[in-house]
């Protein structure tokens, strides 16, 4: 799929948020169990008002304020793993459920208007053990990465308000060479060539964490 055209829009299918809480006695707290929000919500620099992250070192923060997940991926998961209750929108801890967009058409640095807020795509998602525990699927994290069906994170450039049914429209972009899907593959590729590492180490819009990761690889 080619990168989306400026002005392309879709509809917000669902919005989710949730608190951090202890879910498994032998593990650290988690906020992956998000619940749908029906009415309008404020989109702050930190993400959806009222949403939490259990470990801010690896989740959330200004560059991972929102996690988007394409709703069509759930059909893939149900076909592969069965009709589990967790394999529905909201099942992988996302904040925003969207259709029409996916990792191949969305590029790092793309800016979207969502309701009255403006957000910018910052990186893909590399899941941790919590995804496996939450979904009950032992191979879920591996399948995420193997298929590239990871969704993506975004920072909030302008705070605002959004609700289910509002449009989400691509309004600006910094580049088209590096889709979310391509950057995820590069991030996981231990044999990535130096030319591409150098490109990614200065890629506009890429999260600071991933920029630093590529810069360390340049020095290795």
């Amino acid at each position: 799929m080619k990168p989306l055209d400026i002005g392309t829009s879709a509809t917000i299918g669902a919005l989710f948020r949730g608190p951090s809480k202890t879910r498994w006695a032998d593990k650290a707290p988690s906020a992956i169990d998000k619940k749908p929000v029906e009415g309008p919500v404020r989109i702050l620099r930190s993400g959806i008002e009222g949403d939490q992250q259990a470990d801010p070192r690896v989740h959330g923060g200004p560059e991972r304020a929102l996690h988007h997940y394409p709703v069509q991926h759930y059909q893939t998961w149900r076909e592969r793993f069965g009709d589990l209750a967790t394999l529905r929108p909201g099942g992988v801890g996302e904040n925003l459920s969207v259709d029409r967009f996916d990792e191949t058409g969305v590029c790092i640095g793309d800016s979207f208007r969502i309701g009255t807020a403006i957000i910018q795509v910052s990186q893909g998602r590399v899941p941790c053990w919590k995804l496996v525990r939450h979904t009950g699927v032992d191979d879920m994290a591996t399948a995420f990465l193997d298929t590239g069906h990871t969704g993506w994170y975004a920072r909030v450039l302008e705070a605002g308000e959004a609700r289910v049914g509002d449009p989400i429209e691509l309004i600006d972009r910094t580049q088209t060479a590096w889709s979310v899907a391509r950057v995820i593959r590069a991030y996981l590729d231990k044999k990535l060539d130096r030319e591409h590492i150098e490109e990614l180490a200065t890629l506009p819009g890429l999260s600071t964490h991933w920029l630093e990761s590529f810069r360390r690889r340049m020095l290795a």
Side-chain angles (χ1 to χ4, degrees):
M1 180 178 177
K2 69 176 184 178
L4 300 172
D5 295 324
I6 298 293
T8 300
S9 66
T11 299
I12 300 172
L15 292 160
F16 302 92
R17 65 185 173 195
S20 173
K21 59 185 177 181
T22 299
R23 300 189 60 210
W24 309 288
D26 60 332
K27 294 291 187 179
S30 172
I32 195 172
D33 186 21
K34 308 295 187 187
K35 301 301 182 185
V37 183
E38 297 300 330
V41 297
R42 294 179 65 197
I43 307 296
L44 310 175
R45 292 280 184 165
S46 57
I48 291 178
E49 185 176 40
D51 192 38
Q52 294 182 351
Q53 291 78 38
D55 186 352
R57 296 173 303 166
V58 293
H59 301 111
E63 294 196 304
R64 294 175 297 209
L66 295 170
H67 180 243
H68 303 226
Y69 203 70
V71 68
Q72 61 267 30
H73 291 343
Y74 282 105
Q75 180 62 33
T76 300
W77 301 139
R78 289 194 294 272
E79 290 173 356
R80 182 166 176 173
F81 298 119
D83 194 24
L84 303 178
T86 52
L87 300 183
R88 301 283 191 283
V92 298
E94 68 267 36
N95 299 114
L96 175 65
S97 179
V98 298
D99 61 8
R100 192 175 182 185
F101 301 162
D102 68 13
E103 296 84 354
T104 63
V106 172
C107 296
I108 297 297
D110 280 357
S111 293
F112 291 87
R113 187 180 305 280
I114 168 176
T116 60
I118 296 177
I119 61 177
Q120 184 184 53
V121 177
S122 59
Q123 67 170 73
R125 176 183 177 186
V126 177
C128 66
W129 60 268
K130 294 177 182 179
L131 179 67
V132 172
R133 277 294 186 98
H134 177 62
T135 60
V137 179
D138 290 343
D139 294 334
M140 198 71 203
T142 300
F144 248 51
L145 300 180
D146 286 347
T147 60
H149 289 358
T150 68
W152 54 89
Y153 287 108
R155 57 177 66 85
V156 178
L157 299 181
E158 292 185 17
E161 188 176 272
R163 69 176 71 206
V164 172
D166 279 351
I168 173 170
E169 179 186 4
L170 178 62
I171 60 172
D172 193 22
R173 65 163 26 119
T174 59
Q175 54 83 36
T176 58
W178 290 96
S179 66
V180 171
R182 189 183 180 203
V183 173
I184 291 169
R185 290 194 300 270
Y187 186 79
L188 299 172
D189 185 355
K190 302 303 182 184
K191 298 181 179 180
L192 187 66
D193 64 78
R194 186 170 181 82
E195 179 183 355
H196 287 150
I197 292 173
E198 290 176 351
E199 282 185 49
L200 288 161
T202 58
L203 185 65
L206 189 61
S207 70
T208 300
H209 176 73
W210 279 29
L211 285 172
E212 291 175 347
S213 175
F214 287 114
R215 288 168 185 166
R216 287 194 298 270
R217 292 171 69 173
M218 286 177 59
L219 301 175

